[in-house]
């Protein structure tokens, strides 16, 4: 809802469309939401011992995960403190963990909107 604006992300089983996790925050950006969703999925799958591939439609989020660093222009203030804390925790997790899940680009042109998007495009 706007960018920046209300930010939510979710993980969805691509076969069944069943939600796996969902988070909502009062302020963030689309790319930050995509990044946090990827790290959330990676951590969850690692804990469960799953090597399930993870899809995203965000090349930016894929690059942030690969580089273990978020590059955002989101203003740092009291309203964004929680998001910046989550970003820091996600970056730390990436630096301190390995994973075997492939992160793959969702082919929107051929497959339609990624199921984890909220059908608002």
């Amino acid at each position: 809802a706007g960018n920046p604006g209300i930010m939510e992300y979710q993980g969805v089983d691509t076969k069944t469309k069943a939600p796996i996790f969902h988070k909502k925050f009062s302020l963030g950006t689309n790319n930050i939401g995509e990044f946090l969703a990827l790290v959330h999925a990676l951590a969850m799958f690692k804990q469960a011992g799953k090597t399930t591939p993870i899809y995203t439609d965000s090349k930016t989020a894929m690059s942030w995960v690969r580089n273990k660093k978020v590059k955002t222009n989101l203003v740092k203030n009291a309203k964004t403190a929680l998001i910046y804390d989550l970003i820091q925790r996600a970056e730390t997790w990436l630096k301190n963990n390995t994973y075997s899940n492939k992160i793959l680009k969702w082919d929107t042109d051929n497959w339609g909107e990624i199921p984890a998007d909220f059908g608002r495009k």
Side-chain angles (χ1 to χ4, degrees):
N3 203 23
I6 295 171
M7 180 191 83
E8 63 184 316
Y9 68 79
Q10 64 180 345
V12 175
D13 184 302
T14 56
K15 291 179 184 168
T16 68
K17 311 297 188 265
I20 300 169
F21 57 81
H22 177 260
K23 300 288 183 182
K24 188 171 184 177
F25 304 91
S26 60
L27 189 61
T29 68
N30 296 338
N31 285 327
I32 291 171
E34 294 275 358
F35 168 78
L36 292 174
L38 287 174
V39 179
H40 188 138
L42 288 169
M44 185 183 77
F45 286 156
K46 180 171 184 166
Q47 185 175 27
K50 294 183 178 182
T51 58
T52 308
I54 301 166
Y55 286 92
T56 181
D57 61 1
S58 173
K59 290 180 184 176
T60 298
M62 290 174 77
S63 123
W64 290 355
V65 169
R66 186 174 48 255
N67 296 322
K68 303 175 183 168
K69 184 73 179 161
V70 168
K71 292 187 177 183
T72 182
N73 293 323
L74 182 66
V75 65
K76 250 187 184 179
N77 61 27
K79 291 181 181 179
T80 60
L82 173 60
I83 292 300
Y84 272 99
D85 179 57
L86 293 173
I87 290 169
Q88 178 60 52
R89 288 171 51 194
E91 290 173 344
T92 299
W93 188 91
L94 289 169
K95 289 172 185 164
N96 293 324
N97 288 274
T98 59
Y99 53 89
S100 55
N101 310 79
K102 290 184 180 180
I103 298 176
L104 305 171
K105 177 71 173 73
W106 184 261
D107 187 351
T108 305
D109 290 341
N110 290 307
W111 303 338
E113 184 176 323
I114 191 167
D117 278 352
F118 294 89
R120 299 181 191 134
K121 289 184 179 174

